[in-house]
Amino acid sequence: MIHRAFALAITMVLAATSTQAQTNAALREELLELRETDQAGRVHLNDAIQEHGPNSPEVFALWEEQERVDAQNLRRLREVISEHGWPSISMVGYDGAATAFLIVQHAANEAQVELLPLLVAAADAGEADPGHVAMLQDRGLVAQDKRQLYGTQLYHDEATGELKLYPIEDEANVDARRREVGLSPLAEYVDAVKGVRRDD
């Protein structure tokens, strides 16, 4: 299982601000509002983790509320998909499409498996970020106790307090795979997640 303390860090790395032309501005705005609810709770969670530790009663209480918000966001995304199809870049802009991915990324594994083909189809059509597909594929592999392909998933080692990568299949070639889907080199990505500044 992905450690919950990692959720905020990965979300911050994924944050997108570009606003390409979209055909449904109202839907884009609604999706961005959902992103705000997704992010606001995780900011509070990160603060609570830093203050009380990842296994504290305070953090567990906040996670219960965040899970409620995540489930509500997922229900709304399903309604959007039923009415409009997968929120594509041309429909809701890059940031709106990225929000749809973010909601699925924070959903239960069953929902991720169900909705992944829609994201794949959108990416194949140039209507979603291939890097988002890679992240969701890695999430699914880790949930099945398999090696991830792109090195996007980390966990919180409770013994050391560090964020560590889940095992990677053919790690020697991971940067080549990451490059194919538009992701930064693995070392840069891990440093970004950990908040490490690279000066080289």
Side-chain angles (χ1 to χ4, degrees), residues 17 42 71 73 87 93 96 100 105 121-122 142 144 163 167 191 199:
T17 57
R42 286 176 165 81
N73 286 350
Q105 177 86 339
V142 168
Q144 299 173 59
L163 284 170
D191 282 352
D199 296 317

Side-chain angles (χ1 to χ4, degrees), residues 102-146:
L102 196 64
I103 291 171
V104 177
Q105 177 86 339
H106 291 153
N109 182 248
E110 294 80 4
Q112 293 173 359
V113 171
E114 174 192 348
L115 297 173
L116 176 60
L118 298 180
L119 179 59
V120 170
D124 288 346
E127 291 286 358
D129 189 331
H132 294 168
V133 174
M135 292 175 187
L136 203 55
Q137 288 175 332
D138 273 359
R139 179 69 63 95
L141 289 168
V142 168
Q144 299 173 59
D145 293 322
K146 296 180 179 179

Side-chain angles (χ1 to χ4, degrees), residues 43-166:
V43 169
H44 292 310
L45 273 164
N46 187 60
D47 292 342
I49 289 168
Q50 298 302 316
E51 183 176 355
H52 304 290
N55 297 318
S56 63
E58 292 85 354
V59 168
F60 285 133
L62 287 172
W63 265 117
E64 287 184 3
E65 173 60 20
Q66 189 60 46
E67 287 172 349
R68 185 192 66 77
V69 170
D70 290 347
Q72 180 176 309
N73 286 350
L74 179 62
R75 283 194 297 272
R76 179 55 188 144
L77 178 61
R78 288 185 185 279
E79 292 171 353
V80 168
I81 292 171
S82 178
E83 183 176 355
H84 301 281
W86 181 264
S88 63
I89 292 174
S90 60
M91 183 192 303
V92 294
Y94 181 89
D95 49 4
T99 297
F101 155 73
L102 196 64
I103 291 171
V104 177
Q105 177 86 339
H106 291 153
N109 182 248
E110 294 80 4
Q112 293 173 359
V113 171
E114 174 192 348
L115 297 173
L116 176 60
L118 298 180
L119 179 59
V120 170
D124 288 346
E127 291 286 358
D129 189 331
H132 294 168
V133 174
M135 292 175 187
L136 203 55
Q137 288 175 332
D138 273 359
R139 179 69 63 95
L141 289 168
V142 168
Q144 299 173 59
D145 293 322
K146 296 180 179 179
R147 291 177 177 268
Q148 57 179 326
L149 295 175
Y150 300 95
T152 64
Q153 304 299 300
L154 291 83
Y155 68 97
H156 185 270
D157 187 328
E158 295 185 7
T160 65
E162 297 179 357
L163 284 170
K164 294 183 178 180
L165 283 162
Y166 282 98

Side-chain angles (χ1 to χ4, degrees), residues 155-197:
Y155 68 97
H156 185 270
D157 187 328
E158 295 185 7
T160 65
E162 297 179 357
L163 284 170
K164 294 183 178 180
L165 283 162
Y166 282 98
I168 301 171
E169 183 72 26
D170 185 22
E171 187 169 354
N173 293 305
V174 67
D175 277 340
R177 293 192 298 274
R178 291 177 64 87
R179 190 162 50 248
E180 289 176 354
V181 295
L183 295 175
S184 61
L186 182 63
E188 292 181 12
Y189 170 76
V190 171
D191 282 352
V193 171
K194 292 182 177 180
V196 175
R197 179 177 176 180

